[in-house]
Amino acid sequence: MNIPSHVAIIMDGNGRWAQEKGLPRYAGHREGVKTLKKIIKKAGEMKIPCLTVYAFSTENWRRPRKEVDFLMKLFKETLKNESQELASKNVRVNIIGRRNGLSKSLINAIEYIEKITRDKNGMELNIAFNYGGRAEIVDSVKKVVQDVNQGLALDELDENNFSKYLYNPRWPEVELLIRTGGEMRISNYMLWQLAYAELYFIDKCWPDFNGEDLEKAIKVFQQRDRRFGGLPEVGDDKNA
Ligand code: IPE
Ligand code: IPE
Ligand code: MG
């Protein structure tokens, strides 16, 4: 079957999940980490080559200080707790996003997980943290300008080699985007990589998302007619 090579997920709805249960928002974020662990396992079993999840956006700094601090702490704890397990499962982990603004101890945890999983060749897991799609494009342009200053001819720049300047140049295309929590927007996620992605929205909040929901999203993806600007796939030369 046609398994999407790169699946991206906007893990949304943690706060609402908690509020519906009369719990504080942070309880939803904690539950969200449990869901993420299950979905990483399921994605591995389904042989999805690359999974990119949105954990904290460049816009999420607008939240109350207490929530931001909690998310920073939760992310650091999760990286520390899961590093060995992910390495033993042969998962290569990259944290994509801007490092400035993050604490030294969080940067250490990020560098550690990236270092111990760098030579793994199972699934590739990108965690987008302090990530913004526009920030990524601007950061990529800055790298291009540096190369131009070093002698790269501007005429040589095209879409193909521009994508080599992205945060994870090995996976420049997303095939399937899943967003939980019912909102139908991109929220500054993977703007370059989503150009031709199939979009899948589900009302369930992220803590309730499960392996079966992932399977269902992939089934829907497999039924989509992806045209990339061309014509629908039909037999013979009906399109001639
Ligand atoms: C997604 O859940 C997690 C982060 C953005 C960090 P939210 O915290 O956005 O939950 P809702 O959308 O408010 O329910
Ligand atoms: C997107 O969710 C970011 C993450 C899931 C990390 P948000 O909850 O921040 O998105 P908006 O504000 O509803 O667009
Ligand atoms: Mg949200």
Side-chain angles (χ1 to χ4, degrees):
M1 278 309 256
N2 173 24
I3 292 291
S5 59
H6 185 178
V7 175
I9 305 182
I10 303 178
M11 309 183 289
D12 196 22
N14 291 348
R16 277 164 287 161
W17 179 91
Q19 275 159 348
E20 276 160 23
K21 296 188 154 43
L23 298 169
R25 290 178 58 86
Y26 75 81
H29 296 313
R30 277 215 182 284
E31 199 62 29
V33 172
K34 290 190 196 159
T35 300
L36 177 57
K37 283 164 64 177
K38 288 184 212 150
I39 294 302
I40 292 169
K41 186 163 175 277
K42 181 74 185 178
E45 287 163 9
M46 294 184 79
K47 305 262 183 298
I48 293 171
C50 180
L51 177 69
T52 302
V53 296
Y54 208 2
F56 191 89
S57 74
T58 47
E59 288 69 37
N60 287 145
W61 294 102
R62 294 181 187 146
R63 295 189 178 198
R65 173 79 193 271
K66 256 179 91 180
E67 180 163 347
V68 170
D69 287 349
F70 180 82
L71 289 167
M72 295 288 152
K73 209 171 125 244
L74 180 65
F75 186 47
K76 186 168 71 185
E77 248 178 51
T78 305
L79 288 178
K80 285 188 178 165
N81 293 342
E82 304 303 321
S83 290
Q84 299 301 337
E85 168 81 5
L86 288 166
S88 75
K89 294 266 155 61
N90 203 25
V91 177
R92 176 171 179 169
V93 183
N94 316 291
I95 312 303
I96 58 170
R98 286 189 171 161
R99 302 273 156 107
N100 47 355
L102 307 185
S103 71
K104 188 77 194 92
S105 57
L106 176 52
I107 293 173
N108 287 343
I110 289 174
E111 287 175 351
Y112 179 71
I113 198 166
E114 288 188 334
K115 186 169 133 233
I116 66 162
T117 64
R118 188 164 298 148
D119 61 347
K120 305 301 175 196
N121 58 7
M123 186 172 76
E124 193 145 332
L125 171 68
N126 301 309
I127 305 176
F129 195 89
N130 195 17
Y131 173 90
R134 287 181 175 176
E136 178 175 26
I137 292 172
V138 170
D139 289 347
S140 307
V141 169
K142 287 183 182 169
K143 291 186 235 162
V144 171
V145 171
Q146 274 172 356
D147 278 3
V148 169
N149 289 339
Q150 304 283 316
L152 173 77
L154 258 193
D155 282 351
E156 280 169 28
L157 191 66
D158 57 21
E159 290 174 18
N160 212 10
N161 55 29
F162 180 79
S163 62
K164 300 202 165 61
Y165 293 89
L166 297 169
Y167 290 152
N168 182 343
R170 289 179 299 283
W171 296 97
E173 302 286 339
V174 169
E175 290 206 292
L176 170 65
L177 170 78
I178 300 170
R179 181 171 185 146
T180 61
E183 310 291 356
M184 296 196 203
R185 54 179 171 255
I186 299 299
S187 301
N188 199 17
Y189 195 36
M190 313 281 280
L191 297 179
W192 177 277
Q193 297 88 337
L194 289 177
Y196 256 107
E198 293 299 324
L199 310 181
Y200 182 87
F201 299 99
I202 171 167
D203 283 340
K204 265 191 187 181
C205 290
W206 175 248
D208 287 330
F209 189 79
N210 60 35
E212 280 173 31
D213 295 319
L214 181 63
E215 277 177 10
K216 164 113 195 290
I218 293 191
K219 278 209 182 92
V220 169
F221 167 85
Q222 286 165 341
Q223 286 153 9
R224 297 263 177 99
D225 177 19
R226 304 189 75 203
R227 295 198 282 277
F228 301 100
L231 293 175
E233 293 255 347
V234 288
D236 307 328
D237 339 297
K238 287 198 192 101
N239 284 328

